[in-house]
Amino acid sequence: DMGAAAGEVSVKEPPRHLAQGVITAITPQQITIAHEGVPSLKWPAMTRAFKPPAQGAPKDLKVGDHVSFALSALEDGSFQIDGITMISTPGAPERRP
């Protein structure tokens, strides 16, 4: 590990998996996303609920938002969202005055 300084114990980071999808439900306990396939996990496209980021979901997140998100596997086999960001929806009609 090139990032660890001499004498430091390097903690193995769990692999992060990147995906994109559309939010279908949000509760304090989970965020449900209809996501595209995740090749790094060998997942097909599906709708799945994930634990929200440790710091909580972004306040402006809402159902129907197109998002890009990063996942990491937890010890219990579930997946937690590490980071989630809105992506602009392609083909969304622009509002012009």
Side-chain angles (χ1 to χ4, degrees), residues 25-81:
I26 302 172
T27 69
Q29 293 78 31
Q30 62 187 30
I31 299 173
T32 305
I33 302 175
H35 63 78
E36 58 192 32
V38 185
S40 58
L41 285 166
K42 299 184 170 59
W43 285 357
M46 63 176 131
T47 300
R48 186 174 174 139
F50 301 102
K51 292 186 178 173
Q55 68 274 20
K59 297 279 178 276
D60 54 352
L61 221 52
K62 61 190 185 304
V63 170
D65 283 347
H66 288 249
V67 293
S68 172
F69 61 102
L71 296 170
S72 58
L74 300 177
E75 303 260 327
D76 64 4
S78 65
F79 286 82
Q80 180 166 30
I81 294 173

Side-chain angles (χ1 to χ4, degrees), residues 4-18:
E8 257 188 80
V9 178
S10 74
V11 177
K12 192 169 184 311
E13 287 271 314
R16 294 176 83 219
H17 308 281
L18 301 172

